[in-house]
C-alpha cells in the first residue's frame, strides 16, 4: 500500500508515525504469543519440538509485509528441556530466555524511523522558512509596486505637463526635482526586488530535501548597494514629504491616492519607511534558515557563509538605518508640534528629550530665587533646544510650542547640582549686511538629578561645538569665495587692457 502524501508531495508524518507504532505493536504481540505458548503442556511442547525452525536466508532483504507474515505464521522455538519443578508461584509468567528472542534476532531488524523522522522534520522546517521568505518578499515587492504605480508614475506624468493649465487653472502637484528628492532611487529598488522574487520562485519550483538555496542568496549581495543610496537620500525625502503635505495640490493628490484599494490602508509615508527594514529582515531569515539546516546537508556550509555576509551588510548599514529612524522621530515630533515657528530640515536630528522644569527669570528653585517654574518637555535637536507643553486632544497627544533657545555660539554652565544656564546670543543683520550680536537671552533648566544634569550638559556642549565648527567652515568658505572675485576681476581687467593695447597696435 502506498503511503499518503501531503500537499507538497511529501510522505505524511502522521502515516509514518502510525506505521511505526503498528509495527512495534505487532512485534510485541509476537513476543507475548511466544511467551504464552512457551508455558503450555509437555505434549504440545513435544509437538513443537518436532517442528523445524525456520531462518530466513536473506533477512536483510525482507520487506515489511514478509516480516509481518513471518511473525504471524512462523512456529515458535522449543521450550527449554524439562528440569526440576519451578518454585515460582502459580500464575507467575515464565521468564523468557535468549532462545525466545531468536525469532527477532533472525530478522536482523533495524528500526530507522527516528532518523527518518528527523530528516523529514528538518526538510519541513527548511521548506517552511523558504516559504516564509518568499511570502514576505512577494508582499514587499507588491508594496514597492504600489508606490511606483499609485504615486511615482502619476507624479512624473503630471510634472511633465505645464505648471498651469490655462483652461482649468490646474496647479502642478510637484516638480520633477521634488519627485526625485521624494523618491530617490526607488525605481532601482523595485527592479532589484523584481529579480530577487523571480529567483526565489524559480528555486521553489524545484525544491526538495537536498536542494540548495545559498547560490540564490549570493547573487543578492551586490544588489544591496541600492539601499545605501536610498538611505543617504532618506532625510531629504522625509523633509520634502513634510513640506509638500503643507501644499494644497499635493495634499489633495495624496488624499485621493490613499483611497486607492491597492494601497490597502497604508500611507505614502509608511511605504517610504518600509525599505529601511529590508536588510535586517534578510539577515534574520538567513540566520533562521542556516540554523535549521543540518550539518550533513550539502547547503550547510554555504548557507552559514551567506548568513555571515548578510549580517555584515546589516552591520555596515546600521548607522544609516539608525539615522533613518532618527529622521522618523524628528518628523513625528514636528507633526505633533503646535505653533512652532520653524519647519523640518533635512539635517535636523533628535539628540535628547526629557520632561523637566523651566525656571523663569529670577533664578533656580534650589537656589531660592524668586523665579517661577513650569513643567515642560525639553527637546534637544542637532541645531536648537525646544521646550513644549504636552496637551491631549482626543486620542492624540500634541506638543504646544512654548519657546526655543538657539544654540549657535551659545554658552552653557551648571548653576548648582541640578540646574543648567543657557545663554544664547541674538544675531541680526544691519543695513551694511554685517552680522552683529545684540542682547543675549538666558534660559535656566531644572533637571531631576545630578546625573541628568551631567547628561544634558554633555549633549548640549557637543551640539554647540558641532554648530560652531560648521559655522566656522561656512565662514571660511565664504571668505575664500569673496577673496577669489577680486583676483578674477583683476585678471579680467588685465586681459581687457591687453586686448585694447593690441587693438591700438594694430591700428598703428
Amino acid at each position: 500500500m502506498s503511503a499518503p502524501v501531503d500537499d507538497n508531495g511529501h510522505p505524511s508524518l502522521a502515516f509514518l508515525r502510525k506505521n511505526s507504532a503498528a509495527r512495534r505493536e505487532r512485534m510485541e504481540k509476537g513476543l507475548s504469543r511466544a511467551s504464552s505458548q512457551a508455558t503450555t503442556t509437555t505434549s504440545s511442547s513435544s509437538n513443537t519440538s518436532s517442528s523445524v525452525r525456520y531462518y530466513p536466508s536473506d533477512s536483510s532483504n525482507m520487506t515489511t509485509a514478509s516480516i509481518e507474515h513471518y511473525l504471524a505464521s512462523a512456529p515458535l522455538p522449543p521450550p527449554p528441556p524439562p528440569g526440576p519443578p519451578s518454585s515460582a508461584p502459580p500464575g507467575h509468567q515464565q521468564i523468557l530466555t535468549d532462545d525466545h528472542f531468536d525469532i527477532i534476532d533472525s530478522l536482523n531488524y533495524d528500526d530507522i524511523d527516528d532518523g527518518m523522522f528527523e530528516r523529514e522534520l528538518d526538510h519541513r522546517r527548511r521548506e517552511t522558512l523558504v516559504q516564509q521568505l518568499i511570502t514576505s518578499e512577494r508582499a514587499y515587492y507588491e508594496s514597492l509596486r504600489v508606490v511606483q504605480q499609485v504615486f511615482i508614475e502619476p507624479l512624473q506624468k503630471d510634472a511633465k505637463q505645464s505648471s498651469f493649465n490655462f483652461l482649468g487653472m490646474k496647479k502642478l502637484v510637484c516638480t520633477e526635482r521634488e519627485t526625485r528628492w521624494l523618491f530617490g532611487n526607488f525605481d532601482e529598488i523595485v527592479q532589484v526586488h523584481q529579480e530577487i522574487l523571480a529567483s526565489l520562485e524559480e528555486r521553489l519550483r524545484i525544491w526538495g530535501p537536498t536542494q540548495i538555496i545559498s547560490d540564490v542568496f549570493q547573487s543578492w549581495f551586490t544588489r544591496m548597494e541600492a539601499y545605501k543610496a536610498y538611505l543617504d537620500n532618506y532625510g531629504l525625502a522625509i523633509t520634502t514629504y513634510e513640506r509638500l503635505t503643507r501644499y494644497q495640490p499635493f495634499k489633495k493628490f495624496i488624499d485621493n491616492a490613499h483611497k486607492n484599494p491597492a494601497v490597502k490602508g497604508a500611507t505614502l509615508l509608511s511605504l517610504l519607511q518600509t525599505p529601511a527594514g529590508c536588510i535586517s529582515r534578510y539577515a534574520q531569515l538567513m540566520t533562521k534558515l542556516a540554523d535549521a539546516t543540518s550539518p550533513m546537508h550539502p547547503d550547510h556550509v554555504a548557507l552559514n557563509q551567506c548568513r555571515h555576509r548578510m549580517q555584515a551588510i546589516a552591520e555596515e548599514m546600521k548607522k544609516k538605518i539608525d539615522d533613518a529612524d532618527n529622521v522618523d522621530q524628528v518628523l513625528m515630533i514636528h507633526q505633533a508640534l503646535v505653533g512652532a515657528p520653524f519647519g523640518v530640515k533635512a539635517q535636523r536630528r533628535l539628540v535628547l528629550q526629557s520632561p523637566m522644569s523651566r525656571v523663569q527669570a529670577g533664578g533656580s528653585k534650589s537656589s531660592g530665587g524668586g523665579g517661577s517654574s513650569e513643567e515642560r518637555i525639553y527637546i534637544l535637536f542637532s541645531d536648537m533646544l525646544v521646550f513644549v507643553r504636552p496637551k491631549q486632544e482626543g486620542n492624540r497627544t500634541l506638543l504646544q510650542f512654548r519657546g526655543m533657545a538657539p544654540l549657535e555660539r551659545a554658552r552653557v554652565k551648571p548653576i548648582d547640582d541640578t540646574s543648567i544656564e543657557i545663554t544664547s546670543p541674538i544675531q541680526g543683520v544691519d543695513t551694511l549686511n554685517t552680522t552683529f550680536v545684540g542682547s543675549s537671552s538666558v534660559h535656566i533648566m531644572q533637571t531631576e538629578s545630578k546625573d541628568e544634569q551631567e547628561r544634558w550638559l554633555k549633549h548640549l556642549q557637543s551640539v554647540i561645538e558641532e554648530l560652531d565648527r560648521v559655522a566656522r567652515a561656512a565662514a571660511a568658505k565664504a571668505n575664500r569665495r569673496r577673496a577669489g572675485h577680486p583676483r578674477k576681476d583683476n585678471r579680467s581687467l588685465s586681459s581687457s587692457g591687453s586686448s585694447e593695447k593690441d587693438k591700438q597696435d594694430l591700428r598703428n
Side-chain angles (χ1 to χ4, degrees):
M1 181 179 63
S2 60
V5 296
D6 59 15
D7 294 338
N8 296 319
H10 306 304
S12 170
L13 287 180
F15 174 79
L16 293 175
R17 294 191 181 97
K18 181 178 179 181
N19 255 11
S20 177
R23 272 180 271 163
R24 291 193 179 95
E25 183 179 356
R26 284 192 290 270
M27 292 176 65
E28 290 171 0
K29 286 181 179 179
L31 291 175
S32 177
R33 186 168 63 251
S35 174
S36 61
Q37 292 187 14
T39 57
T40 57
T41 61
T42 306
S43 60
S44 60
S45 299
S46 60
N47 293 333
T48 306
S49 62
S50 63
S51 303
V52 179
R53 296 177 65 184
Y54 171 73
Y55 292 93
S57 59
D58 189 7
S59 60
S60 61
N61 293 328
M62 292 183 68
T63 63
T64 302
S66 62
I67 293 173
E68 293 173 357
H69 176 73
Y70 177 66
L71 286 175
S73 60
L76 296 174
S86 174
S87 59
H92 187 273
Q93 188 173 3
Q94 184 176 346
I95 299 176
L96 299 177
T97 65
D98 291 340
D99 288 338
H100 296 121
F101 289 96
D102 285 346
I103 191 172
I104 301 301
D105 295 338
S106 66
L107 300 178
N108 194 24
Y109 180 75
D110 186 16
D111 189 2
I112 59 171
D113 288 342
D114 291 342
M116 183 166 60
F117 287 154
E118 282 300 320
R119 288 192 296 272
E120 181 65 21
L121 287 173
D122 287 344
H123 171 56
R124 295 291 183 88
R125 283 192 289 265
R126 278 170 49 83
E127 186 175 48
T128 299
L129 289 169
V130 172
Q131 288 281 9
Q132 181 181 347
L133 175 60
I134 293 179
T135 301
S136 63
E137 184 64 25
R138 187 177 291 117
Y140 179 51
Y141 174 69
E142 289 175 358
S143 71
L144 297 179
R145 284 291 293 150
V146 165
V147 175
Q148 198 175 45
Q149 294 173 345
V150 178
F151 297 97
I152 298 180
E153 292 174 358
L155 286 173
Q156 289 175 340
K157 181 179 179 181
D158 183 80
K160 292 178 181 178
Q161 300 175 357
S162 175
S163 59
F164 286 95
N165 184 341
F166 290 102
L167 295 177
M169 296 300 292
K170 180 182 177 181
K171 292 185 178 180
L172 188 68
V173 176
C174 66
T175 64
E176 291 185 24
R177 183 172 62 175
E178 288 171 332
T179 302
R180 289 194 302 270
W181 289 347
L182 183 58
F183 298 103
N185 65 329
F186 205 95
D187 288 335
E188 180 185 2
I189 290 180
V190 175
Q191 180 63 32
V192 164
H193 286 277
Q194 181 181 3
E195 297 171 359
I196 286 177
L197 180 60
S199 66
L200 285 173
E201 291 177 336
E202 180 181 359
R203 184 53 50 91
L204 185 63
R205 284 194 291 269
I206 58 173
W207 190 254
T210 59
Q211 185 58 260
I212 67 172
I213 197 172
S214 57
D215 59 325
V216 175
F217 292 159
Q218 288 168 358
S219 67
W220 297 1
F221 298 134
T222 56
R223 299 173 183 175
M224 296 298 104
E225 293 293 323
Y227 279 92
K228 291 184 179 180
Y230 184 81
L231 293 172
D232 286 339
N233 184 71
Y234 190 77
L236 179 60
I238 297 302
T239 304
T240 304
Y241 171 84
E242 194 276 338
R243 178 175 56 81
L244 286 174
T245 52
R246 291 184 272 114
Y247 176 56
Q248 189 58 34
F250 183 84
K251 187 177 184 303
K252 183 178 179 180
F253 168 80
I254 292 297
D255 291 341
N256 291 332
H258 287 165
K259 297 175 184 178
N260 191 314
V263 178
K264 298 179 181 179
T267 64
L268 175 58
L269 178 61
S270 66
L271 293 170
L272 291 174
Q273 294 168 339
T274 303
C278 178
I279 303 297
S280 59
R281 175 172 62 89
Y282 282 159
Q284 292 171 3
L285 285 173
M286 286 188 188
T287 298
K288 290 180 180 179
L289 190 57
D291 291 340
T293 301
S294 167
M296 303 301 295
H297 195 279
D299 208 21
H300 176 75
V301 175
L303 263 181
N304 278 279
Q305 293 173 348
C306 291
R307 183 237 311 257
H308 296 315
R309 179 79 180 275
M310 187 57 74
Q311 287 175 344
I313 293 175
E315 185 64 27
E316 181 184 352
M317 293 195 183
K318 185 177 184 303
K319 186 175 181 181
K320 295 180 184 293
I321 295 172
D322 290 343
D323 187 69
D325 291 339
N326 193 301
V327 171
D328 291 336
Q329 294 182 57
V330 172
L331 179 63
M332 289 176 60
I333 292 174
H334 275 274
Q335 289 176 334
L337 277 174
V338 177
F342 54 84
V344 179
K345 290 176 62 177
Q347 297 79 19
R348 181 170 295 150
R349 298 294 183 268
L350 177 64
V351 179
L352 189 62
Q353 63 175 330
S354 64
M356 63 180 71
S357 300
R358 179 202 177 197
V359 180
Q360 307 290 346
S364 67
K365 293 190 292 186
S366 59
S367 62
S372 60
S373 65
E374 294 179 313
E375 294 299 325
R376 295 285 183 265
I377 293 179
Y378 273 71
I379 304 173
L380 177 60
F381 291 115
S382 56
D383 58 342
M384 68 175 72
L385 176 68
V386 178
F387 40 96
V388 299
R389 184 181 66 189
K391 67 176 185 177
Q392 203 69 25
E393 188 175 283
N395 295 328
R396 292 187 61 197
T397 299
L398 301 179
L399 303 175
Q400 181 65 51
F401 177 79
R402 302 298 296 174
M404 57 182 288
L407 295 179
E408 187 175 341
R409 301 178 62 184
R411 298 187 305 274
V412 295
K413 65 178 182 179
I415 299 178
D416 49 32
D417 289 341
T418 57
S419 301
I420 301 173
E421 181 183 88
I422 305 173
T423 304
S424 302
I426 299 177
Q427 299 184 6
V429 180
D430 63 9
T431 55
L432 297 177
N433 201 29
T434 302
T435 301
F436 69 95
V437 177
S439 60
S440 60
S441 61
V442 178
H443 300 270
I444 300 177
M445 300 164 51
Q446 182 70 36
T447 62
E448 297 293 332
S449 64
K450 177 69 174 176
D451 291 341
E452 188 179 22
Q453 181 198 49
E454 292 177 353
R455 184 162 62 105
W456 271 89
L457 281 171
K458 176 184 176 181
H459 286 93
L460 282 168
Q461 290 169 348
S462 176
V463 169
I464 291 171
E465 289 173 2
E466 178 63 19
L467 289 173
D468 290 347
R469 185 192 67 79
V470 172
R472 289 194 299 269
K477 183 178 180 180
N479 290 335
R480 287 194 300 270
R481 187 168 58 248
R482 285 195 297 268
H485 290 313
R487 288 196 297 271
K488 182 178 180 181
D489 293 343
N490 291 337
R491 286 195 298 271
S492 299
L493 290 174
S494 300
S495 174
S496 176
S498 300
S499 177
E500 291 297 330
K501 185 177 183 297
D502 293 340
K503 290 178 182 179
Q504 185 63 34
D505 291 341
L506 288 174
R507 290 192 197 101
N508 295 335

